[in-house]
Amino acid sequence: MGQSALLLKLELQSNPEMLCVVRHALGQLAETLGFSSAECRAVVLAVDEALTNIIRHGYGGEEGHPIRASFRRIQVALGGRQRKALEIMLEDRGKKVDGPKLCGRPLEELRPGGLGIHLINECMDAVEFRRKLGRNQLRLIKLLHGPKAEMGA
Amino acid sequence: MQISARHLDKTTIFDVSGDIDLATSPQLRKALLHELRETRTPRVVLNLKAVRYMDSSGVASLVEGLKVSRGSGARLILYGLNPSVREVLQLSKLVKIFEIYENEEQAISP
């Protein structure tokens, strides 16, 4: 991993009404960084789904709990060359996330719910989760014009 | 999100606008399930032309509506999907499960 530059830091509450605020800010940020329209939509969807999971499962739907989001421009070594990317780190003090739940559910089953993790994995180039000092940390990476540039392709 | 209803012969059209997310999807779910379970409308159409964004909670509301409609012999129809809404259904592998049309004329034709 090469140099990294902090672009934006948000301290928000676990309030579903804040999701649209984050989406708009992140959409603008991704566009400014040069991501295509489809890539912007992918980043926005992944972060929105991750925040939704924190609010619903980490904090059990309770409002007023803290969530930190930071956005960095980074360089990622891939295939022998440096690639530009956006790194998003989401941190919360909610319940510990079960490992198996991070894998999502089979999509063949027609039932509501359980799609969030699948969408995050589809939209982002790297997804890493860890529990550290009583906090859940989710790290998401989106390569600029990476292999998942076109959503739903 | 805003939602309003128009009633035609044996058909209800919901005109939805704005974002469907964790904060707003319960409103969509409630309207859909009421129309399918209580009013028992044979054909429920969702006009999504003015929906800018939909997340998995919105998809879950649609799936629940679809399951109820199948159970009661009704039809749940979507039309006017913008790229963001279409993509989330494609990524969820659900785009072929729903009855989807380009415009209202197609959606309400017999």
Side-chain angles (χ1 to χ4, degrees):
Chain A
M1 192 74 64
Q3 65 204 67
S4 132
L6 180 64
L7 299 166
L8 178 67
K9 209 170 189 176
L10 297 172
E11 300 260 352
L12 44 138
Q13 303 283 297
S14 55
N15 179 348
E17 290 178 357
M18 285 299 101
L19 292 172
C20 68
V21 177
V22 177
R23 286 198 301 270
H24 288 143
L26 177 56
Q28 290 288 313
L29 176 67
E31 194 180 325
T32 302
L33 293 174
F35 285 98
S36 68
S37 298
E39 288 173 324
C40 290
R41 292 196 295 271
V43 172
V44 166
L45 180 62
V47 171
D48 183 76
E49 292 294 343
L51 290 173
T52 292
N53 280 348
I54 291 170
I55 295 169
R56 288 184 66 184
H57 305 299
Y59 289 129
E62 283 181 18
E63 295 187 9
H65 297 284
I67 303 170
R68 275 189 198 161
S70 60
F71 305 86
R72 291 175 185 274
R73 179 168 33 210
I74 62 169
Q75 298 275 336
V76 177
L78 193 72
R81 66 188 183 105
Q82 292 290 311
R83 298 286 301 270
K84 288 180 185 171
L86 174 63
E87 178 198 69
I88 299 149
M89 184 72 86
L90 302 178
E91 197 173 88
D92 67 85
R93 294 171 179 272
K95 280 188 295 191
K96 188 179 174 184
V97 181
D98 292 339
K101 283 190 179 172
L102 287 169
C103 299
R105 66 165 173 83
L107 295 182
E108 294 73 34
E109 207 179 328
L110 182 62
R111 67 173 172 89
L115 290 170
I117 295 293
H118 168 76
L119 293 175
I120 294 168
N121 286 324
E122 284 291 314
C123 291
M124 303 304 284
D125 293 298
V127 179
E128 295 167 12
F129 174 80
R130 68 176 177 170
R131 179 88 176 172
K132 189 181 176 189
L133 300 172
R135 293 177 180 184
N136 295 311
Q137 293 181 333
L138 184 66
R139 181 170 177 254
L140 307 171
I141 293 176
K142 184 74 176 172
L143 296 173
L144 187 68
H145 312 318
K148 292 183 181 175
E150 295 302 319
M151 275 174 66
Chain B
M1 186 196 78
Q2 301 287 322
I3 182 164
S4 59
R6 288 180 283 141
H7 304 282
L8 308 173
D9 180 39
K10 294 181 181 174
T11 299
T12 294
I13 301 171
F14 285 115
D15 296 304
V16 190
S17 61
D19 292 5
I20 305 173
D21 66 4
L22 182 64
T24 60
S25 59
Q27 192 189 342
L28 173 66
R29 177 181 178 274
K30 189 178 170 187
L32 263 182
L33 295 186
H34 181 271
E35 201 63 28
L36 291 162
R37 278 187 181 143
E38 313 299 326
T39 312
R40 303 186 74 82
T41 304
R43 181 164 59 180
V44 176
V45 177
L46 281 179
N47 168 11
L48 299 174
K49 274 195 297 188
V51 172
R52 297 169 300 190
Y53 177 83
M54 182 166 71
D55 75 353
S56 66
S57 71
V59 174
S61 299
L62 297 185
V63 168
E64 201 172 351
L66 182 67
K67 292 189 83 167
V68 171
S69 70
R70 285 180 173 177
S72 61
R75 286 167 71 192
L76 176 63
I77 297 169
L78 317 179
Y79 82 87
L81 279 61
N82 73 22
S84 169
V85 174
R86 189 172 287 276
E87 280 165 356
V88 78
L89 289 176
Q90 282 172 338
L91 290 170
S92 307
K93 314 285 186 224
L94 289 169
V95 81
K96 288 179 182 164
I97 302 291
F98 286 99
E99 201 176 339
I100 298 173
Y101 296 100
E102 289 300 315
N103 55 49
E104 185 166 313
E105 190 185 359
Q106 294 167 355
I108 62 172
S109 69

